[in-house]
Amino acid sequence: AGTVIEVLKPACSGERECANVVLPIVSNQAGKPFMLYNVECSMGYRQDREVVDSYADSLGVTSDCRLKCENGCKTCKIRLMPTVKYQVEVDVVEKAKCLDDVNGDSYMVKLLDDGRLAMAISDGMGTGISASRESKAAIKMLAKLLEMGVESEFAVQTVNLMMLMRSKDDSFTTLDLTVVDLFSGTAEVIKAGAPSSVVKRGKEAASVGGYSLPAGVFAPLEIQKIEIELADDDVMVMMSDGVGEGFSSGVDWNKKVNKVLKHLGDVSVSEINRAILNISNGNYKKSGVRKDDMTILTARLKRVQKAEGAMSPVVFDREDVYAQDV
């Protein structure tokens, strides 16, 4: 199910040959529908010599043709994979503790070669640049391990060990990882020091997981791992602890969020984030000060109704949201 086919071809002039020519050929030859996984379109920039030479070698072109290619040829790198069962709509909200400061949380939304989607939030100890540096390091390590095919739980354990080795003091980061199989809807939720996530299904909402010791505290790390089955229109909400930290000890943040989500109708993921943000902001206004950085990552599974070959497995709900380059 996780077969990835890579094609290198000359750039077209905007006719979308990747979707209209390459994709049908691959699907026909494979005997099952494929989709565009990633396209590095060369329109608007010149390829470097290494890419050009690689393409020229594959065609066995002459030195004269190669010279012409070096002087202006553009190539596109196309990656295709079997069409997945589920598409994911994503929205992310980030806020630093102080208005002009750096958010100490980091996140990733990354499609893996085997058709799984990895979503993660890392919360560095404290706030600002130092916390951001640690959380970004944890996210980058986690992404590389998952790309290499390392099992999710072991990847988190490994990141914990690496963070422990690089730590010069008692600093640590939390790791909150959800890996969704887009072919089946099965999801792994792995938490190291991270607060509960919330799964919304119709008019019901339930918390998943809870706090455990954060990454970088000791090794081996005792982490939480929960396997759940997600279905069409299910929503997963992941949050750093700064979202609910402003509440007094007498308020159950999870129950409050779950109650709000239960009463939300069929709204977009960005509207869900806005509702959670309003709860958090309202409480911080009462206390007069924001206590921590905050990140909310919300994703909704949508059943692919038609095998659209040119569809994207991940759709960001707002233009200003993007998958961080890890």
Side-chain angles (χ1 to χ4, degrees):
T3 303
V4 174
I5 296 176
E6 198 168 275
V7 177
L8 193 65
K9 64 173 289 295
C12 62
S13 301
E15 296 88 356
R16 301 192 71 237
E17 291 181 355
C18 51
N20 299 327
V21 178
V22 176
L23 182 60
I25 291 175
V26 171
S27 296
N28 289 336
Q29 290 296 316
K32 58 182 177 181
F34 268 65
M35 60 186 289
L36 296 178
Y37 167 22
N38 179 262
V39 178
E40 295 178 14
C41 183
S42 67
M43 292 182 63
Y45 67 89
R46 180 172 298 195
Q47 292 286 339
D48 58 38
R49 175 164 182 158
E50 182 181 353
V51 175
V52 170
D53 283 352
S54 173
Y55 178 69
D57 286 338
S58 70
L59 294 183
V61 300
T62 64
S63 58
D64 290 340
C65 291
R66 186 189 300 263
L67 180 61
K68 292 178 182 178
C69 194
E70 289 174 6
N71 289 335
C73 179
K74 298 174 183 177
T75 60
C76 291
K77 185 178 180 181
I78 307 165
R79 304 187 80 200
L80 308 98
M81 67 185 298
T83 301
V84 294
K85 180 179 180 180
Y86 293 102
Q87 190 177 45
V88 181
E89 299 171 352
V90 178
D91 182 65
V92 183
V93 171
E94 297 180 280
K95 282 192 177 295
K97 175 184 176 181
C98 301
L99 184 60
D100 297 324
D101 205 352
V102 175
N103 189 353
D105 303 340
S106 296
Y107 75 91
M108 77 169 179
V109 178
K110 195 170 194 66
L111 184 64
L112 304 174
D113 282 356
D114 58 5
R116 293 182 303 155
L117 180 67
M119 301 176 290
I121 296 176
S122 178
D123 181 358
M125 186 176 74
T127 60
I129 294 176
S130 60
S132 175
R133 188 181 301 117
E134 292 301 305
S135 64
K136 277 185 169 60
I139 286 290
K140 285 184 178 180
M141 279 188 255
L142 182 61
K144 292 298 181 185
L145 290 169
L146 294 174
E147 284 177 340
M148 293 165 57
V150 176
E151 192 269 336
S152 304
E153 186 175 3
F154 185 68
V156 172
Q157 293 277 12
T158 303
V159 171
N160 169 66
L161 179 60
M162 297 300 292
M163 295 301 293
L164 185 66
M165 292 174 63
R166 64 176 265 147
S167 177
K168 296 179 181 179
D169 46 35
D170 293 330
S171 66
F172 58 83
T173 63
T174 69
L175 281 174
D176 190 356
L177 172 66
T178 298
V179 183
V180 183
D181 187 324
L182 299 184
F183 291 101
S184 67
T186 301
E188 290 181 331
V189 179
I190 301 174
K191 291 183 178 292
S196 300
S197 298
V198 180
V199 173
K200 172 178 165 58
R201 175 172 293 175
K203 295 182 179 180
E204 298 299 319
S207 298
V208 178
Y211 284 93
S212 57
L213 288 174
V217 174
F218 69 92
L221 175 68
E222 293 183 6
I223 64 176
Q224 290 184 318
K225 179 180 177 181
I226 307 105
E227 293 189 0
I228 57 178
E229 295 292 331
L230 297 176
D232 183 31
D233 217 34
D234 281 0
V235 175
M236 167 72 78
V237 183
M238 302 167 64
M239 298 168 281
S240 63
D241 58 11
V243 182
E245 266 194 2
F247 281 80
S248 62
S249 58
V251 176
D252 190 323
W253 166 251
N254 288 335
K255 286 185 178 179
K256 192 171 185 66
V257 170
N258 290 2
K259 183 178 180 180
V260 170
L261 292 181
K262 284 180 181 179
H263 288 87
L264 285 178
D266 186 20
V267 298
S268 68
V269 286
S270 62
E271 289 175 297
I272 291 174
N273 278 355
R274 191 177 301 116
I276 297 174
L277 186 61
N278 286 340
I279 305 171
S280 181
N281 285 341
N283 188 74
Y284 277 121
K285 286 178 181 178
K286 292 179 183 178
S287 63
V289 60
R290 184 174 292 280
K291 296 183 178 181
D292 199 0
D293 303 315
M294 57 172 286
T295 300
I296 310 170
L297 193 163
T298 300
R300 170 185 272 117
L301 256 68
K302 297 295 291 184
R303 181 72 180 263
V304 177
Q305 300 298 328
K306 183 181 178 182
E308 296 286 354
M311 63 164 272
S312 171
V314 184
V315 177
F316 291 95
D317 196 52
R318 293 178 298 155
E319 292 183 359
D320 60 333
V321 176
Y322 61 96
Q324 290 192 350
D325 183 11
V326 291

